[in-house]
Amino acid sequence: MKLRNYAAVTHQGPFLELNEDGYDFDLDNQFFMVLDGFGGSGIGDKAVAKLKEEIKRFLGRLAADPDSTMPLYWNARWLLEANALINSLLFAHQNLYQENSAKPLNQRAGASMACAIKADDILILAQVGSCYSYLSRRGKVEPLFIPDNHVWLAPDLHASPSMRLPASAFGFYPELTWSIREVRVQEGDQFALFTDGVAPWIEQTELGHVLSRNDEDLQEKLNGLLKLSNARGNSANQTGMILEF
């Protein structure tokens, strides 16, 4: 199953001057990611840029040598590509955590992430922290993971942005916690990856309606979702990506 189309957008949001979010992709290895950084100006944004480069570089090295030994993690339950992806995330996390350990708390950086890598007709998705991943299939949208944050402790899902701070993040805790899934791709499937400046403000039925529309291209759909989330009260950075098969 081939990737037919994809689009991505990132924006600082309606109030912030700095964008600590980001996205990237590697078409040769069919790898895609969105990141939600934190730490402040010159901290979170730089960490996101470094994470993108390190994850892609390490993943590319493992992809070029399928017989290489996985240095940090191996689980026979998952495909080789899934193990390579997790090792790449752990490698980048360890480097950032070591950097943070030498800094005071107010100068440390971290990031959440949602990402995907394709292996034949399987799409492997992984998520860290407070990001959101969805599958849209035949008009029905389903979340692929529960974001790893504190939102369920809030009295209202939109009441306190601080409740969406990640419970796990790159660079910020000794152990990196992740979720992973392998999905057999079907024709017409769409996968949507978002940071928390978009997804919490959009109902799943609304997302399904937007993704199923034929009168807009993927970039227009993403731009519309950002505008809708802002109209409903978003104040954070915003990043989204749609993969269409």
Side-chain angles (χ1 to χ4, degrees):
M1 189 66 60
K2 290 185 177 181
L3 179 69
R4 291 169 44 206
N5 199 5
Y6 68 96
V9 63
T10 189
H11 193 267
Q12 72 267 22
F15 302 113
L16 300 174
E17 296 183 1
L18 172 70
N19 189 0
E20 296 178 87
D21 280 7
Y23 69 83
D24 210 336
F25 50 85
D26 178 349
L27 293 179
D28 289 337
N29 291 309
Q30 293 284 281
F31 175 61
F32 307 85
M33 58 179 157
V34 302
L35 295 108
D36 186 347
F38 60 88
S41 178
I43 301 174
D45 52 331
K46 288 186 177 180
V48 163
K50 187 171 183 179
L51 284 168
K52 290 192 296 186
E53 291 305 314
E54 288 190 340
I55 291 169
K56 286 198 306 179
R57 176 165 52 85
F58 196 78
L59 187 62
R61 229 164 58 203
L62 291 176
D65 184 8
D67 296 323
S68 63
T69 300
M70 299 295 168
L72 303 173
Y73 173 88
W74 172 260
N75 189 328
R77 173 183 175 184
W78 306 113
L79 294 174
L80 177 64
E81 290 84 355
N83 282 280
L85 175 58
I86 294 302
N87 275 274
S88 300
L89 304 188
L90 289 171
F91 171 78
H93 163 70
Q94 286 189 353
N95 286 349
L96 182 57
Y97 183 74
Q98 288 176 1
E99 287 185 17
N100 279 338
S101 297
K103 300 177 181 178
L105 188 62
N106 64 353
Q107 294 181 19
R108 296 181 183 183
S112 299
M113 169 194 249
C115 63
I117 186 169
K118 189 170 176 291
D120 295 325
D121 62 344
I122 302 292
L123 192 69
I124 301 149
L125 300 107
Q127 187 165 295
V128 173
S130 192
C131 281
Y132 299 76
S133 305
Y134 299 93
L135 165 62
S136 175
R137 176 174 288 172
R138 294 188 290 274
K140 182 180 180 181
V141 172
E142 295 184 3
L144 295 170
F145 307 104
I146 298 174
D148 193 2
N149 57 28
H150 304 287
V151 72
W152 301 109
L153 297 175
D156 183 309
L157 294 184
H158 302 310
S160 177
S162 64
M163 289 295 186
R164 293 198 298 273
L165 291 174
S168 179
F170 286 97
F172 223 69
Y173 308 98
E175 299 295 331
L176 184 70
T177 303
W178 68 87
S179 299
I180 189 166
R181 292 188 70 171
E182 295 174 347
V183 179
R184 189 173 299 279
V185 179
Q186 298 182 15
E187 186 174 358
D189 281 354
Q190 293 176 308
F191 294 85
L193 312 177
F194 298 112
T195 62
D196 70 2
V198 184
W201 307 95
I202 310 295
E203 299 292 338
Q204 285 178 213
T205 52
E206 293 174 318
L207 179 58
H209 174 71
V210 170
L211 293 176
S212 63
R213 292 183 61 171
N214 295 320
D215 58 339
E216 292 182 328
D217 63 26
L218 295 185
Q219 201 68 53
E220 291 173 325
K221 293 177 181 180
L222 283 172
N223 292 337
L225 290 169
L226 266 60
K227 290 179 180 178
L228 180 58
S229 65
N230 290 339
R232 291 180 173 172
N234 170 62
S235 60
N237 298 152
Q238 301 171 289
T239 299
M241 179 178 289
I242 301 173
L243 310 175
E244 186 174 76
F245 291 89

